[in-house]
Amino acid sequence: MEFVRALCVAWLLVAGLATAATPVVQVPEGGAGVPVITKGIVCGPLRPGWTLAADGRTLRPPSRVEQDDARVQELKVAATPAQCETTEERVTVIATGSFPRVDASASNFFPDDGRVELRGVGLDHVGIYWSGTPRNEAEPKLMEGQDVCLAPSAEKGLANCTVPVARGLPTDAALYWTPPHGRQGRDVTTYDASGNMVELETFRLRPGRTILTQPLIQSGGVDVSRGPGSVALSHSEAVSSVDCGPVRCEVNEGTVSLRNVPGVDVSVTLKLRLSPRIYFLRGEALEQVIQETLPVLACPLFAVDGTVLRDAENAAMVVRLDSSCQHDPRKLLWSMNDQRARVERVVKAPDGVYVLLRTGGTSEQQVTVSAQTSRVEGSVVASDTTKTLPLPVPRASLELASEGAIDFIPINRPAELHVASSGEQGRFVPRPVAGAYSVTTRDGTTYIQGEPTAGGFVALRFGYQLPTLPGELATADLFIVNERVQRSVREASVPIRVENVVELVCADKEGKDQVLEPSRPHRVAYAMRNSCRVIIHRERLKPEQGTQEIVLRIDVTKPDGSARGESRVEQRMLLRPQGEARVIPVPGQLGQYDRILVQVSLVADESRYALSTTDRSGLPSAQWTAIVSGGRFRLYTTATIPAGLYRATEPSGQLILNFGVVSRLALLNNEGQERLLGIEMGLMGMGLIPQSGDIEFPPTLAVVMGLSLRVPIGPGAAVGAQAWVAREFRDDITRRSDGSVVPSSRWSFIFGPSISVGNVGFNL
């Protein structure tokens, strides 16, 4: 439908350009003959169905036009028949459809939505021509065009049809309907079926209702700082009268002018009455009286985003006066919600004058800030109402450069202070507390350190600043807030490096002890698998490091991932300086590819260490990993259940249920895990359930051999796919349809997926 409409509109545009130079005569099909020209003759040639009278100027349209492209033709005209070959004069004739019966009183015009809702009979291909100049534009331009009805609600009888028009037309735009397949323009002459000329005003469409759907009032307030105020209207031509109460107001082109506004602490209520037959659509109701209350601002005042906060004591806020305001902010009387506000700082910027106001704080969800010229007169020159934001909360963390995050304030060394963003526009700047801690800044990093004689608990103090403010306001504290948690003030003890006092020792294949490095994989010869032991060197602890508390864990896992329970060790130890070394062997009888994991970590005790607040259970820590060496291949037996094997050898087919036992030879990786590809050989019961095809495979036992892919899914279980060569011990293969024997070999090639359970074998 949209494609058809686009073609129709394009045709009308091209036709409109052509009519600028060529006169157009249109008459309904089947109508009487009409004079095409007043002087001379029509040269022709004529299309079938058109009839030229003897006078050479009167043309009769065809009684019926089957194809739309045959309705229009361009004819040469000349003063005499002899001039027909050389004449350049043209006339366009159109055979329109029958004139419709348009019910204007039931038609609606939606200028904001850009559509006309027609109601009548015979609306198919009826056109709408529009012309109008909007009032609310700085440089108004004439808007004109034409579109057609393509899809009326009924082919016969009373119907509705929506015709798109240009958006933004004025409510008094000139609307004309055109006959089906007809045109509209200055050079178009239209005749009715009786051959009578029809005046242009006959086609004038005056809709019963003009409905506005967009807001009529386009302004959010009334600015009277520089003289009479004005309110922009989207359709000033639609307003018949306006009432503003005590304020004088009148409707102009595109605006409503207001005079004698009493002050900015009041609002102006505009009551607009629309002209007859013009309505405003609000929800599902049509209104002819529109009422709206607008604030009045003598001096534009704006509260800066992010500075109006609630629940803060002795808070400050920042407002911006527009550059057009001529008042000195220091000479004005400021208030917030009728509470006195004090001017602390004033900064001029290109976009206005910024004023820092110190208030007593508020807990309200909304505040009104106003400025008066004097206490006696009480003339308000600026006012703004804005919503308050919840008080931002600082989220601070302390960190020792070499030890990480801590949750206390150290008195023997400075700690780095980091303040996380709370998602607001501002930032938190730490402030010192006398007798508790001091704040210093070096190379862009902020440090905090407790006083040597301080003890107990203290909350960090911060000033809230907004860096986006101009000039010195960017470093002004809008309010002071304390952190909601208190931190202890005490001495910091540094944890030791675990690997300096704990070692994992294993013998090499020659029997010599080797100290294994932590955090690196190691391999232990199978013959020396029971030589591994953990040595704790308490003699290496220095007295200034203090007592250390550690947790030792030894875990041994088998190649399939299961734990070897008899080898597990977990001990919590208290290490005092200058003690003797302690040896703890790895218990249990280890096997090939067993993994030894030794973990040692300091106990997270905040009363002893300068511990991180983010991870208290394993920092600092160290771990050692060693794997017992083993064979490169594994030979084992497993039970296999192929869910559906496919026999590729003729006769081919699906073997639904199969079961067997196979031996598998697979290559192992360095971790003792079986690789995907392996060699298999074994016995397989195949075709245990009859298949549904024409070929009937008897249940049989077969010797299979081939390759397979296996993916482990658990201890002793795997899924995979195999491709086998099979030697079958079976009866003959027959057909179900006639019972005949199908020639086949006892050798076959089969493949398909399977599930295997069991892993009984050994490594090579």
Side-chain angles (χ1 to χ4, degrees):
M1 180 62 67
E2 293 299 330
F3 176 72
V4 175
R5 180 177 297 280
L7 289 179
C8 292
V9 172
W11 178 81
L12 291 173
L13 291 175
V14 174
L17 294 175
T19 58
T22 304
V24 177
V25 176
Q26 54 187 15
V27 61
E29 58 185 3
V34 297
V36 176
I37 54 178
T38 57
K39 295 181 181 180
I41 63 170
V42 176
C43 297
L46 300 177
R47 288 185 176 177
W50 291 86
T51 305
L52 184 63
D55 60 1
R57 295 189 296 270
T58 301
L59 196 63
R60 185 183 183 89
S63 59
R64 181 176 180 82
V65 180
E66 299 295 338
Q67 296 181 352
D68 291 344
D69 56 358
R71 294 181 179 274
V72 183
Q73 61 176 331
E74 187 176 277
L75 303 174
K76 288 184 178 183
V77 296
T80 63
Q83 296 177 349
C84 283
E85 294 296 332
T86 60
T87 183
E88 296 295 333
E89 295 185 17
R90 300 287 193 276
V91 64
T92 301
V93 294
I94 303 175
T96 70
S98 300
F99 282 13
R101 294 200 305 273
V102 178
D103 186 356
S105 62
S107 299
N108 297 324
F109 174 35
F110 294 82
D112 294 334
D113 294 344
R115 73 179 191 272
V116 173
E117 294 181 352
L118 289 176
R119 185 170 179 83
V121 179
L123 299 182
D124 190 22
H125 280 82
V126 169
I128 293 294
Y129 171 82
W130 64 87
S131 176
T133 303
R135 303 319 200 268
N136 59 343
E137 296 182 357
E139 297 180 0
K141 295 181 180 180
L142 178 65
M143 302 172 63
E144 59 181 347
Q146 185 173 347
D147 211 322
V148 296
C149 167
L150 293 181
S153 60
E155 295 183 0
K156 297 180 179 180
L158 194 63
N160 298 322
C161 189
T162 300
V163 180
V165 299
R167 290 177 181 267
L169 286 172
T171 57
D172 57 357
L175 301 176
Y176 298 89
W177 62 267
T178 62
H181 308 286
R183 303 180 188 175
Q184 183 61 265
R186 291 182 295 273
D187 295 331
V188 178
T189 304
T190 305
Y191 293 88
D192 59 15
S194 300
N196 300 318
M197 183 183 298
V198 182
E199 296 295 333
L200 178 62
E201 192 62 22
T202 305
F203 299 103
R204 184 69 176 262
L205 176 65
R206 293 178 174 82
R209 292 184 299 186
T210 298
I211 301 175
L212 305 178
T213 57
Q214 300 299 323
L216 181 62
I217 298 176
Q218 299 292 305
S219 300
V222 181
D223 183 7
V224 294
S225 61
R226 299 184 179 181
S230 63
V231 175
L233 300 179
S234 59
H235 293 281
S236 59
E237 76 283 351
V239 179
S240 62
S241 64
V242 59
D243 181 13
C244 302
V247 180
R248 291 177 52 192
C249 55
E250 58 184 6
V251 180
N252 297 323
E253 287 290 329
T255 62
V256 174
S257 298
L258 297 95
R259 300 176 184 272
N260 299 338
V261 179
V264 299
D265 56 340
V266 298
S267 57
V268 175
T269 300
L270 277 71
K271 183 181 292 185
L272 304 175
R273 183 173 296 277
L274 301 180
S275 300
R277 297 190 300 176
I278 300 179
Y279 302 88
F280 177 73
L281 180 63
R282 190 186 302 275
E284 297 182 356
L286 295 177
E287 301 176 354
Q288 274 205 311
V289 177
I290 301 174
Q291 181 173 313
E292 186 166 345
T293 301
L294 300 177
V296 178
L297 299 177
C299 235
L301 178 69
F302 308 95
V304 178
D305 292 341
T307 66
V308 187
L309 306 170
R310 61 177 177 267
D311 301 328
E313 296 182 0
N314 195 28
M317 64 179 298
V318 180
V319 296
R320 177 174 62 86
L321 282 170
D322 193 83
S323 302
S324 61
C325 186
Q326 303 299 320
H327 297 277
D328 185 357
R330 295 181 179 86
K331 296 181 180 180
L332 297 175
L333 299 179
W334 295 87
S335 63
M336 182 188 72
N337 284 0
D338 298 329
Q339 296 180 2
R340 184 71 181 273
R342 185 178 73 256
V343 178
E344 284 194 355
R345 299 183 186 181
V346 176
V347 175
K348 292 185 178 181
D351 57 343
V353 179
Y354 288 80
V355 184
L356 178 66
L357 301 175
R358 183 66 62 180
T359 67
T362 181
S363 59
E364 301 293 334
Q365 300 286 329
Q366 180 175 285
V367 296
T368 299
V369 183
S370 59
Q372 298 179 358
T373 54
S374 66
R375 189 183 301 274
V376 177
E377 297 179 3
S379 177
V380 178
V381 298
S383 179
D384 184 34
T385 300
T386 183
K387 293 183 179 180
T388 60
L389 299 177
L391 184 70
V393 178
R395 295 176 176 85
S397 62
L398 298 177
E399 182 178 338
L400 293 178
S402 58
E403 306 302 329
I406 58 175
D407 61 353
F408 63 93
I409 301 175
I411 62 176
N412 59 332
R413 65 186 67 195
E416 295 182 13
L417 175 63
H418 302 280
V419 183
S421 173
S422 60
E424 307 295 336
Q425 302 176 9
R427 65 182 177 187
F428 289 100
V429 179
R431 296 294 182 230
V433 176
Y437 64 86
S438 60
V439 178
T440 58
T441 302
R442 296 193 303 271
D443 299 329
T445 303
T446 302
Y447 296 90
I448 185 171
Q449 183 173 348
E451 299 290 342
T453 58
F457 295 86
V458 66
L460 297 180
R461 181 175 297 175
F462 298 91
Y464 183 74
Q465 300 176 355
L466 198 64
T468 56
L469 294 175
E472 58 182 331
L473 297 182
T475 57
D477 291 341
L478 299 181
F479 65 90
I480 299 296
V481 62
N482 292 329
E483 196 178 16
R484 294 186 177 180
V485 297
Q486 291 189 336
R487 303 171 186 266
S488 62
V489 183
R490 62 180 176 84
E491 185 178 5
S493 297
V494 180
I496 64 170
R497 291 176 59 88
V498 175
E499 55 268 28
N500 291 341
V501 297
V502 180
E503 294 178 345
L504 176 61
V505 179
C506 295
D508 59 12
K509 56 184 177 180
E510 283 82 18
K512 298 180 181 179
D513 287 342
Q514 288 187 337
V515 178
L516 306 185
E517 297 182 13
S519 302
R520 292 182 57 188
H522 300 276
R523 303 193 73 84
V524 179
Y526 180 73
M528 301 298 174
R529 63 189 182 278
N530 295 321
S531 65
C532 295
R533 59 200 181 276
V534 177
I535 302 178
I536 301 175
H537 296 279
R538 291 183 290 184
E539 73 280 2
R540 296 181 183 177
L541 288 174
K542 299 178 181 180
E544 59 269 19
Q545 292 175 330
T547 302
Q548 307 289 324
E549 189 173 4
I550 66 171
V551 175
L552 169 66
R553 297 183 182 88
I554 301 177
D555 292 297
V556 179
T557 55
K558 299 177 183 179
D560 59 0
S562 60
R564 192 177 292 277
E566 69 274 13
S567 300
R568 178 175 176 77
V569 175
E570 182 170 354
Q571 294 185 12
R572 186 166 180 168
M573 305 177 186
L574 195 64
L575 307 181
R576 301 186 183 278
Q578 306 301 320
E580 296 181 354
R582 181 178 177 182
V583 179
I584 302 174
V586 177
Q589 188 68 25
L590 306 184
Q592 294 185 19
Y593 292 108
D594 279 359
R595 179 184 294 271
I596 304 172
L597 177 63
V598 178
Q599 294 177 316
V600 181
S601 61
L602 290 178
V603 176
D605 186 358
E606 63 272 12
S607 65
R608 178 178 294 115
Y609 301 119
L611 295 176
S612 170
T613 58
T614 59
D615 191 350
R616 297 179 174 225
S617 60
L619 294 177
S621 63
Q623 71 176 23
W624 292 260
T625 302
I627 299 177
V628 179
S629 299
R632 303 303 298 170
F633 294 90
R634 179 165 182 79
L635 179 62
Y636 65 94
T637 299
T638 182
T640 303
I641 307 174
L645 290 174
Y646 184 78
R647 189 180 190 275
T649 308
E650 290 294 336
S652 60
Q654 185 78 21
L655 305 176
I656 297 178
L657 179 62
N658 312 275
F659 177 80
V661 178
V662 297
S663 295
R664 177 177 170 84
L665 178 64
L667 181 65
L668 302 179
N669 60 15
N670 292 334
E671 304 293 330
Q673 297 174 347
E674 181 182 339
R675 297 188 183 274
L676 296 178
L677 187 63
I679 301 174
E680 293 183 347
M681 181 177 181
L683 293 176
M684 183 65 58
M686 300 189 304
L688 302 181
I689 295 179
Q691 67 281 7
S692 60
D694 185 51
I695 301 298
E696 180 177 1
F697 294 97
T700 184
L701 181 67
V703 177
V704 297
M705 180 175 182
L707 301 177
S708 68
L709 296 174
R710 299 286 183 184
V711 178
I713 58 175
V719 295
Q722 61 282 320
W724 292 328
V725 175
R727 172 61 178 175
E728 304 172 3
F729 305 97
R730 56 168 169 77
D731 297 332
D732 293 333
I733 298 175
T734 61
R735 297 185 183 273
R736 293 182 182 273
S737 57
D738 55 8
S740 61
V741 176
V742 179
S744 61
S745 172
R746 294 293 192 275
W747 291 92
S748 62
F749 176 72
I750 56 177
F751 63 91
S754 66
I755 298 176
S756 59
V757 180
N759 190 332
V760 180
F762 52 87
N763 296 341
L764 301 176

